[in-house]
């Protein structure tokens, strides 16, 4: 509605908008993101311990309990309980220096430290022999924990920035892999193979 | 950007948050007194969205998010006393919701809006600030689009009348600086405090 003697009052009110979406402080968004991450991690953790909801948990892109602990810590929540089957992970990790860790969206992954590797259920050095959808089959070159000679696992959902980045698995490619159950972990704990990194992984299991 | 049609709930939520975090937080900032309150509202809104991800419309989720935020805001206002008692213990910072920097405040526009009923104010804010159409506003307010059209027609007329009145008063203030505007009543947010300066 236009006034006879001036601009549309609604346009004038629009121009007086006190906070445009582009003006929202990034620090505020980061705090909001952190709060949501805590809730998600808690939900995932709770779901993993409630039998009737296990199927729903399976939808969450392959995060099992170890991954949930990792995410909880990664997100700076207060859920930093000792990781299952190993030494406690630092409760207040510094930002990861692993370029493979982290990601867009909500993600801020667990600090990458090969010392955490024994806390994962499956850890190995493998070469991909087949990729069928999200199912990836590996010949295991070095089985540090739980893999056997060959293993087929489910790749992380590449669309979920929350889970952090993981390699693009290709037949013939060699990778350093951790997994929980049948699901490959991401957040920097599954990498393209390098001899230097493999040596660190081997050292983590040497003691 | 993530794929909003991805089937995983986590993927859908991740896309939803990436796409709409700014408008939802801005919505909350325009309706709360402090940044901490706005962050509370935005975080709670998205947490609800995460837990009800299957109910979030795929095509146009923003009005749905605003509708949730509106209910969260109402709950926050009801629980304000309790939160304020906790604030001193929990908050590192509790700063006023910031205004846009470097721009003059349109005092008459804010005063005119503040003189209307809360229902009229919210309708006009959704049009002018969230830039929603009638269908979208209907989804936010959970009323019919027809009801939106009728109420909006009346609210616009009342706002135009109030704006003309406030603009006249503002002109008179410039002619006679001894006339000052008082505290703006019946509204929320630092934006309104700016109008009373």
């Amino acid at each position: 509605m236009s006034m006879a003697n001036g601009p549309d009052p609604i346009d004038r009110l629009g121009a007086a908008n006190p906070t445009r979406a582009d003006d929202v402080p990034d620090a505020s968004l980061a705090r909001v993101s952190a709060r949501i991450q805590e809730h998600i991690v808690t939900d995932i953790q709770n779901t993993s311990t409630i039998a009737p909801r296990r199927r729903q948990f399976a939808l969450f892109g392959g995060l099992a309990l170890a991954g949930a602990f990792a995410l909880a810590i990664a997100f700076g929540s207060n859920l930093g309980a000792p990781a299952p089957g190993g030494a406690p992970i630092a409760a207040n990790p510094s930002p990861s220096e692993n370029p493979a860790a982290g990601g867009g969206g909500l993600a801020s992954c667990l600090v990458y430290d090969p010392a955490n590797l024994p806390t994962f259920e499956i850890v190995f050095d493998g070469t991909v022999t087949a990729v069928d959808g999200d199912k990836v089959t590996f010949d295991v070159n070095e089985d540090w924990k739980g893999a056997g000679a060959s293993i087929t696992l489910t790749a992380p959902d590449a669309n979920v920035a929350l889970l952090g980045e993981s390699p693009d698995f290709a037949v013939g490619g060699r990778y350093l892999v951790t997994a929980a159950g049948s699901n490959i972990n991401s957040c920097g704990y599954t990498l393209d193979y390098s001899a230097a990194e493999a040596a660190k992984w081997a050292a983590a299991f040497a003691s | 950007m993530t794929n909003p049609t991805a089937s995983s709930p986590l993927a859908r939520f991740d896309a939803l948050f990436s796409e709409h975090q700014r408008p939802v937080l801005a919505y909350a900032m325009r309706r709360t007194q402090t940044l901490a309150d706005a962050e509370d509202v935005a975080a709670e809104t998205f947490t609800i969205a995460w837990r009800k991800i299957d109910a979030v419309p795929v095509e146009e989720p923003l009005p749905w998010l605003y509708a949730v935020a509106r209910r969260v805001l109402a709950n926050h206002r009801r629980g304000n006393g309790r939160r304020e008692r906790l604030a001193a213990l929990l908050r590192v910072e509790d700063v006023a919701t910031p205004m846009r920097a470097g721009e003059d405040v349109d005092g008459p526009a804010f005063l005119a809006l503040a003189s209307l009923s809360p229902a009229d104010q919210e309708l006009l804010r959704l049009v002018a600030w969230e830039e929603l159409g009638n269908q979208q506003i209907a989804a936010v307010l959970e009323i019919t689009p027809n009801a939106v059209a009728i109420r909006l027609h009346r609210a616009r007329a009342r706002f135009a009348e109030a704006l003309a009145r406030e603009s006249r008063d503002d002109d008179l203030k410039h002619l006679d600086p001894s006339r000052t505007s008082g505290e703006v009543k019946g509204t929320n947010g630092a934006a309104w405090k700016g109008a009373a300066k």
Side-chain angles (χ1 to χ4, degrees):
Chain A
M1 178 186 296
S2 294
M3 294 170 64
N5 59 348
D8 185 334
I10 297 299
D11 288 345
R12 182 167 163 184
L13 186 60
N17 184 347
T19 310
R20 296 188 192 281
D22 290 344
D23 299 330
V24 166
D26 288 341
S28 272
L29 290 173
R31 284 191 290 269
V32 169
S33 174
R35 296 262 301 276
I36 297 164
Q37 287 164 11
E38 281 193 42
H39 288 298
I40 290 174
V41 168
T42 303
D43 287 352
I44 289 173
Q45 250 191 330
N46 290 342
T47 306
S48 72
T49 60
I50 300 170
R53 298 181 67 187
R54 277 185 185 146
R55 190 163 172 275
Q56 181 185 347
F57 177 60
L59 295 174
F60 292 148
L63 283 171
L65 191 57
F69 272 102
L71 284 167
I73 294 158
F75 297 152
S77 75
N78 294 319
L79 301 172
I89 297 171
N92 296 298
S94 59
S96 173
E97 293 179 356
N98 179 1
L106 289 163
S108 174
C109 285
L110 171 67
V111 62
Y112 175 73
D113 183 349
N116 294 330
L117 289 167
T119 68
F120 291 100
E121 190 179 339
I122 297 169
V123 186
F124 65 96
D125 158 11
T127 300
V128 173
T129 57
V131 177
D132 180 11
D134 61 353
K135 304 295 182 196
V136 184
T137 302
F138 298 87
D139 269 354
V140 176
N141 305 312
E142 185 71 43
D143 178 13
W144 287 297
K145 188 176 177 184
S150 175
I151 189 168
T152 298
L153 298 168
T154 303
D157 187 335
N159 288 319
V160 183
L162 175 62
L163 302 180
E165 294 180 7
S166 59
D168 290 326
F169 297 104
V171 173
R174 188 172 178 181
Y175 305 92
L176 299 170
V177 182
T178 68
S182 62
N183 300 303
I184 296 171
N185 291 316
S186 52
C187 267
Y189 278 88
T190 295
L191 305 167
D192 290 317
Y193 176 88
S194 77
E197 208 59 45
K200 293 178 190 172
W201 284 43
F205 288 91
S207 55
Chain B
M1 199 180 85
T2 53
N3 177 7
T5 62
S7 57
S8 149
L10 201 51
R12 282 194 62 203
F13 179 77
D14 195 48
L16 183 77
F17 182 77
S18 297
E19 189 78 18
H20 300 298
Q21 55 181 323
R22 286 184 176 277
V24 169
L25 183 54
Y27 172 97
M29 286 173 66
R30 290 190 284 263
R31 290 162 175 80
T32 51
Q33 298 282 357
T34 70
L35 204 49
D37 284 341
E39 290 169 11
D40 284 350
V41 170
E44 199 169 333
T45 298
F46 276 108
T47 300
I48 290 168
W50 154 247
R51 290 173 178 162
K52 295 177 180 284
I53 191 67
D54 289 338
V56 180
V58 173
E59 289 299 319
E60 200 169 52
L62 195 52
W64 188 93
L65 288 168
Y66 286 150
V68 172
R70 182 168 169 264
R71 287 193 289 273
V72 170
L73 268 168
N75 287 338
H76 268 241
R77 285 171 187 150
R78 280 195 286 274
N80 216 28
R82 182 174 57 85
R83 260 193 312 285
E84 282 174 2
R85 289 193 294 277
L86 291 170
L89 294 173
L90 299 178
R91 286 179 187 150
V92 175
E93 62 173 333
D94 196 0
V95 298
T97 311
M99 301 281 293
R100 268 186 299 153
E103 298 194 27
D104 292 335
V105 172
D106 187 343
F110 286 129
L111 288 165
L113 188 61
S115 71
L116 305 181
S117 70
D120 278 357
Q121 287 183 39
E122 185 58 9
L123 260 179
L124 293 169
R125 281 192 289 254
L126 290 170
V127 172
W129 294 351
E130 272 74 41
E131 300 180 349
L132 301 182
N134 286 7
Q135 290 277 355
Q136 296 165 313
I137 293 172
V140 175
L141 300 180
E142 297 169 290
I143 58 178
T144 66
N146 192 45
V148 171
I150 293 167
R151 292 184 197 182
L152 190 54
H153 177 76
R154 293 170 181 162
R156 279 171 175 267
R158 285 190 279 263
F159 178 67
E161 189 180 322
L163 183 59
R165 184 177 63 245
E166 293 296 342
S167 296
R168 275 197 305 274
D169 287 353
D170 196 53
D171 288 344
L172 287 173
K173 267 188 300 182
H174 284 98
L175 293 173
D176 178 5
S178 67
R179 292 169 62 109
T180 56
S181 60
E183 185 74 21
V184 180
K185 302 291 186 187
T187 57
N188 295 291
W192 311 106
K193 296 177 208 163
K197 282 178 184 171

